[in-house]
Amino acid sequence: MKVLWVSCGLISIAIGAFLCFHFLHAAPVEGVTNPQLLPGSAGKSMVEKPASIQEIPELPDFVDYNSQLIPSLTLHCLPCHHNDKTEGLLTSSNSLEVVLERWKDFAQSHSQLPESCALQPASDVVLQTWNLLVRWCHEGAYIPQPEPQTGNDWSSDERNHWGFQPLSRPAIPPPDSERQCRNPIDNFIQKRLRECNIVPVERANNRHLIRRLSYALTGLPPQSSLYDQYNNADDNKLDLLVEELLNDPGYGEHWARYWLDVARYADTNGYEHDGEKPLVWQYRDFVIRAFNDDLPYDQFFVRQIAGDLVPSPLNDDYIASGFLRLGVWDSEPDEPLRDRYDQINEIVEATSFAFLGLSIQCARCHDHPSEPITSNDYYQFAALFDRLTRTVNGRLEISVPSASESMLQQDAGKRQQVQQLQRQAITENSEHRASELRRQAEQIEKTLTRDMTYRFQEFSYQKNSSRLLRSGNPESPGQFVSPGVPSVLIKSAELPSIQNRLDFANWLVAENSGLLARVLVNRVWYWHFGRGLTSTPGTIGLSGGSPSHPELLEWLSCWFVEEANWSIKKLNRLIVNSATYRMSVPHESLSARAELFGEFSFRKLRAEEIYDSMRHASGMLSRRQFGPPDQPKFSALHHAMVPEVTSQGISTSEHRRAIYQLVKRTLPHPFLEPFQFPDSTQGCVMRTDVSNPIQAATLWEGTDADACATALAEDLLQRGDLVTSDQQILAAYQQILDRVPSEHGMELSRQFLSSGENTERLKQFCLILFNLHEFSYVR
């Protein structure tokens, strides 16, 4: 019994010591920093850092066949073992292979150089070669298979897949003599309809078009004045409405949300800790400004992949490169080495999906089964991101200065000068002299980098030692690989010289703009019509669908690059000004006609559009832009799960647009989640638009719906110009549905309001209108 008590005591002490160590080292007090120095290229301190750069776990030190074993055998073994006279081993044609086969079995069971070696006693270099061979044998004697380097080994169909080809502008078909063609989009669409003997539907009425255009470009219902202004307008005058909407600040807020889906944006990291991503909202604001300012898409792409590497980067360039760091992150991984390569894989997958329309992560373990991507392609692409490091303070992420490595070095030197001047001021006997020293210190401090961003860092002293991992296992690394791009994208005989992310981004824009443009154009078309020019707007490779209108997709992509100069605003303008976009929603839809865009389809509003529209109708919506996200109002049960309010998520009674609401990965927004808001663990182009009972409950019984209905009812009762219940009914219809009720609807509304207490009944009446089908759909 005594032994048992002693054992239990020792175990308790061990557990207590472990927990103390864990909490003291894994979660330091926020704000307490440990000033350390990063190693410089000359072994001296380079940049003083306020917290640690996350350690990058090193791969096991395996012998590399190509870069280590073969050169050493060639230099030290082949001079003797080169023909049949040396123990019958070699011929000139298979020298290395025979050496390996002859000595492999012996080296696996012996650690000493064989006595038959003519170089006995052996020199140090010969012994090193023998030890290298022994190590290689014990590590599995892995011989990497050669991989295609230029894509020339792909089949003809794979090599000539339309998505990977250079842009080639097709001729615009002649217009249909019986139908209006407002721009080339209509020529292509009507040609395809004629070929299939399908007659398109007529143009939609202006009321429907005004609402459709407003939601398509700003994500908000139109102001009532727009109906009066454009109710009798022809198409040319409606083009003026399009310009008005494109210049509305809501345009960037609406279209930024599409991109944030693709970029897997969230304000927190996910996993159990789900810590905040400091200042990550700056990336969201950058995207909104980029759409409103019409930043060309090629620059938008380059900044996100390598904004920190462009010449003379601005603060927005550093912010944009935060795209690479938006993914989930485990602050306490069980296997740090595997977690490191999971992080790189996440960046590779996010980048290839967002910009190339390819999902290439299968090639991490083996050649891709459905895309022309080999494991070698994957690891060359992954090598572009291998040196990215995360700045952390224990389990907490921290932001970093908007500065290059050289600027950080200069700042470190300036901080030392400030400290020296402050020390001199303390010891100075003359107050005048001390004041002058403090003034000098303040002047130097003003020149230090002030802007901070959420992004990865990359330092020159970090060596690129990327290797192919056998079966994707970091514990089993293969040969070294250099940074590169998937070989199927290379069309020239000469391999591109790509050393870093900026080289890759510039190369893709210059040499493969067709892929970049087709992916974006196809997605923009999908976001407008609810159906892409291919059936898979997320993917454009071999595993993607074939285009229903290949010539239109190719022409639009060429036009987008060559004439629109990568302007997404111009692309949106061209689409919504087309007669194709302005077709009506028929009473009876025909699947063949709908698939070929001979009619417009009902579009269900996205989660954010419903959220914003309810607040807009109730008068609660705040149009204040940018800044830290707003904390949503959770129920008491949810609120217990929310961390303390920080600078990342601030509780507020202000009702801003949904894009400014906190996106917490482990605690989805209570209103947005039922309406298929994406989980943000990976990029998303196509949200599901299925209706479900939870949506009905959210609109009928949810706290958000109740608050909006209450606010609108109180506003209607307080307005001096709304005295009778009929006036209140008309105003509620106008506010929520942008129309007046029918005679039957008016009579039902009167009966409902007269059957109970005025305030509560009016609130319930507003709630009914929010739940009508036409509120949540655009036609």
Side-chain angles (χ1 to χ4, degrees):
M1 181 64 69
K2 184 176 181 180
V3 173
L4 179 61
W5 280 106
V6 171
S7 300
C8 291
L10 291 174
I11 292 172
S12 300
I13 292 171
I15 293 174
F18 169 78
L19 292 175
C20 288
F21 177 85
H22 173 76
F23 285 110
L24 286 173
H25 291 79
V29 178
E30 187 173 4
V32 176
T33 58
N34 178 23
Q36 302 174 23
L37 297 177
L38 293 177
S41 57
K44 297 181 180 180
S45 62
M46 184 186 69
V47 179
E48 187 176 353
K49 62 185 180 119
S52 62
I53 295 292
Q54 187 184 31
E55 295 295 332
I56 299 179
E58 292 188 5
L59 289 169
D61 187 20
F62 282 80
V63 175
D64 185 68
Y65 178 84
N66 286 322
S67 66
Q68 293 176 277
L69 185 62
I70 293 305
S72 192
L73 288 175
T74 303
L75 184 62
H76 303 300
C77 298
L78 285 190
C80 296
H81 300 279
H82 66 282
N83 56 45
D84 293 335
K85 295 181 180 179
T86 309
E87 299 188 11
L89 289 181
L90 306 174
T91 64
S92 58
S93 62
N94 63 358
S95 301
L96 285 173
E97 289 81 355
V98 176
V99 168
L100 290 173
E101 286 302 318
R102 171 67 179 82
W103 295 112
K104 191 161 61 175
D105 293 339
F106 185 88
Q108 285 176 333
S109 55
H110 297 77
S111 59
Q112 301 297 321
L113 190 70
E115 295 180 358
S116 58
C117 180
L119 295 177
Q120 294 286 11
S123 64
D124 288 344
V125 289
V126 173
L127 288 175
Q128 289 172 6
T129 299
W130 176 254
N131 291 334
L132 206 63
L133 178 61
V134 170
R135 276 184 58 200
W136 176 75
C137 290
H138 284 292
E139 290 165 2
Y142 173 73
I143 301 177
Q145 298 301 312
E147 299 288 352
Q149 295 296 308
T150 62
N152 292 329
D153 293 339
W154 303 122
S155 70
S156 176
D157 288 343
E158 292 168 330
R159 188 170 59 250
N160 296 321
H161 178 67
W162 60 272
F164 304 139
Q165 298 308 303
L167 287 171
S168 176
R169 181 185 289 239
I172 300 173
D176 187 333
S177 57
E178 299 180 3
R179 298 278 170 181
Q180 181 187 25
C181 288
R182 302 202 72 234
N183 61 43
I185 288 176
D186 303 321
N187 296 52
F188 286 101
I189 294 293
Q190 290 174 16
K191 174 193 174 188
R192 188 81 174 89
L193 291 170
R194 286 197 305 271
E195 291 171 349
C196 298
N197 295 317
I198 294 175
V199 178
V201 299
E202 299 300 320
R203 177 185 181 275
N205 67 54
N206 277 9
R207 187 163 197 85
H208 291 156
L209 282 180
I210 292 168
R211 179 174 163 86
R212 185 189 301 177
L213 287 167
S214 184
Y215 272 111
L217 298 177
T218 69
L220 290 170
Q223 298 291 339
S224 299
S225 59
L226 294 180
Y227 288 111
D228 298 331
Q229 184 178 354
Y230 292 102
N231 191 43
N232 298 315
D234 60 11
D235 276 316
N236 292 332
K237 190 172 181 182
L238 274 183
D239 292 349
L240 300 178
L241 171 62
V242 170
E243 293 306 311
E244 189 175 337
L245 296 171
L246 286 172
N247 293 318
D248 189 287
Y251 167 80
E253 293 171 325
H254 177 58
W255 278 87
R257 186 61 253 181
Y258 285 120
W259 184 257
L260 295 182
D261 280 9
V262 173
R264 83 272 188 229
Y265 174 86
D267 295 296
T268 62
N269 286 314
Y271 290 100
E272 293 86 350
H273 184 230
D274 201 17
E276 69 176 46
K277 291 179 176 292
L279 300 180
V280 70
W281 51 267
Q282 292 180 340
Y283 175 83
R284 174 248 289 153
D285 291 352
F286 158 76
V287 176
I288 293 173
R289 289 194 304 271
F291 276 97
N292 273 332
D293 297 341
D294 202 18
L295 179 69
Y297 183 67
D298 58 340
Q299 296 180 35
F300 185 64
F301 159 65
V302 172
R303 290 187 182 187
Q304 292 182 81
I305 296 300
D308 55 322
L309 302 181
V310 300
S312 304
L314 303 174
N315 190 43
D316 263 6
D317 297 320
Y318 289 109
I319 292 172
S321 67
F323 164 85
L324 301 172
R325 198 176 171 181
L326 292 178
V328 296
W329 176 62
D330 189 356
S331 60
E332 294 182 304
D334 294 331
E335 300 179 66
L337 180 60
R338 183 173 293 277
D339 177 71
R340 167 64 184 171
Y341 284 92
D342 286 346
Q343 289 182 49
I344 295 175
N345 179 73
E346 196 279 334
I347 297 169
V348 168
E349 179 63 10
T351 302
S352 60
F353 172 79
F355 299 106
L356 306 182
L358 296 172
S359 178
I360 71 174
Q361 62 180 349
C362 290
R364 177 182 180 180
C365 300
H366 48 71
D367 290 352
H368 204 293
S370 55
E371 297 287 0
I373 306 291
T374 66
S375 285
N376 194 63
D377 288 329
Y378 171 90
Y379 284 101
Q380 283 187 324
F381 192 53
L384 293 168
F385 312 101
D386 194 38
R387 296 195 301 171
L388 295 176
T389 56
R390 188 184 299 269
T391 47
V392 296
N393 188 354
R395 290 187 302 154
L396 303 176
E397 288 201 288
I398 60 174
S399 53
V400 297
S402 298
S404 64
E405 185 176 354
S406 61
M407 292 169 63
L408 291 176
Q409 288 177 307
Q410 294 173 11
D411 281 358
K414 291 177 181 178
R415 287 192 181 93
Q416 290 180 355
Q417 294 178 34
V418 169
Q419 291 173 359
Q420 290 173 358
L421 291 169
Q422 289 172 340
R423 291 192 191 101
Q424 291 177 24
I426 292 172
T427 59
E428 183 61 50
N429 294 325
S430 169
E431 179 57 33
H432 176 74
R433 176 61 180 160
S435 176
E436 176 61 23
L437 292 171
R438 285 193 293 268
R439 189 191 65 78
Q440 292 178 17
E442 290 174 0
Q443 289 298 114
I444 296 175
E445 277 190 316
K446 290 179 181 179
T447 65
L448 295 175
T449 303
R450 298 294 180 185
D451 294 321
M452 302 291 287
T453 54
Y454 179 78
R455 63 182 177 90
F456 282 117
Q457 284 183 291
E458 190 172 301
F459 295 101
S460 60
Y461 67 82
Q462 294 169 310
K463 63 179 182 179
N464 193 326
S465 56
S466 305
R467 303 179 75 160
L468 187 148
L469 307 182
R470 304 166 196 165
S471 299
N473 183 7
E475 299 292 344
S476 183
Q479 76 266 25
F480 288 97
V481 294
S482 300
V485 295
S487 52
V488 73
L489 302 181
I490 303 172
K491 300 305 175 185
S492 61
E494 184 178 350
L495 294 178
S497 176
I498 294 177
Q499 302 299 322
N500 55 38
R501 291 174 282 123
L502 184 59
D503 291 341
F504 158 67
N506 289 333
W507 174 84
L508 193 69
V509 169
E511 300 295 331
N512 218 308
S513 58
L515 180 62
L516 199 62
R518 291 183 190 107
V519 170
L520 192 276
V521 165
N522 192 36
R523 289 173 178 175
V524 169
W525 187 276
Y526 165 77
W527 290 326
H528 278 297
F529 289 93
R531 182 184 297 105
L533 289 170
T534 73
S535 58
T536 55
T539 306
I540 211 168
L542 295 178
S543 55
S546 299
S548 59
H549 298 71
E551 291 181 333
L552 173 58
L553 178 55
E554 194 67 11
W555 183 89
L556 268 177
S557 301
C558 288
W559 177 89
F560 179 58
V561 174
E562 297 170 2
E563 293 186 34
N565 294 319
W566 300 92
S567 165
I568 298 179
K569 268 193 179 181
K570 290 180 180 179
L571 178 61
N572 278 323
R573 180 186 293 113
L574 187 75
I575 291 174
V576 301
N577 282 345
S578 68
T580 301
Y581 182 79
R582 296 182 182 182
M583 290 180 185
S584 62
V585 176
H587 293 295
E588 293 185 12
S589 177
L590 300 178
S591 58
R593 185 173 62 196
E595 288 173 5
L596 296 179
F597 306 102
E599 63 181 54
F600 198 84
S601 301
F602 270 114
R603 180 176 79 82
K604 185 175 182 179
L605 296 181
R606 287 156 55 99
E608 300 88 346
E609 291 171 313
I610 297 175
Y611 179 94
D612 295 342
S613 296
M614 292 178 69
R615 280 155 180 76
H616 179 273
S618 65
M620 298 167 61
L621 186 65
S622 166
R623 297 302 301 273
R624 184 172 66 86
Q625 293 185 299
F626 310 133
D630 299 335
Q631 187 80 45
K633 292 184 179 298
F634 292 104
S635 65
L637 177 62
H638 282 110
H639 192 68
M641 303 169 63
V642 179
E644 292 183 1
V645 174
T646 65
S647 60
Q648 178 74 350
I650 54 175
S651 295
T652 176
S653 58
E654 185 180 15
H655 294 271
R656 295 202 291 165
R657 294 191 70 172
I659 195 170
Y660 299 112
Q661 303 306 305
L662 181 76
V663 181
K664 185 172 176 62
R665 283 194 162 110
T666 57
L667 192 62
H669 194 286
F671 183 91
L672 301 178
E673 184 192 20
F675 294 94
Q676 280 82 44
F677 188 84
D679 65 7
S680 71
T681 56
Q682 58 185 358
C684 169
V685 173
M686 303 171 63
R687 292 192 194 178
T688 56
D689 60 354
V690 216
S691 298
N692 59 58
I694 303 178
Q695 294 174 2
T698 302
L699 284 177
W700 185 249
E701 298 179 340
T703 55
D704 287 275
D706 185 79
C708 291
T710 301
L712 179 55
E714 291 175 350
D715 180 64
L716 295 176
L717 289 170
Q718 292 170 7
R719 284 176 54 178
D721 57 330
L722 305 178
V723 180
T724 66
S725 60
D726 279 11
Q727 291 174 327
Q728 293 167 356
I729 291 170
L730 290 171
Y733 262 88
Q734 200 68 51
Q735 288 281 101
I736 297 175
L737 302 178
D738 294 319
R739 68 173 176 87
V740 296
S742 64
E743 290 184 9
H744 180 62
M746 190 70 180
E747 183 57 35
L748 290 176
S749 302
R750 289 193 191 106
Q751 293 175 14
F752 182 82
L753 287 181
S754 63
S755 61
E757 194 274 326
N758 196 23
T759 303
E760 182 61 25
R761 244 357 191 185
L762 188 56
K763 183 192 104 172
Q764 292 175 353
F765 176 68
C766 293
L767 205 55
I768 290 171
L769 296 184
F770 281 134
N771 279 267
L772 291 181
H773 180 275
E774 64 179 290
F775 175 75
S776 300
Y777 282 81
V778 171
R779 59 175 301 160

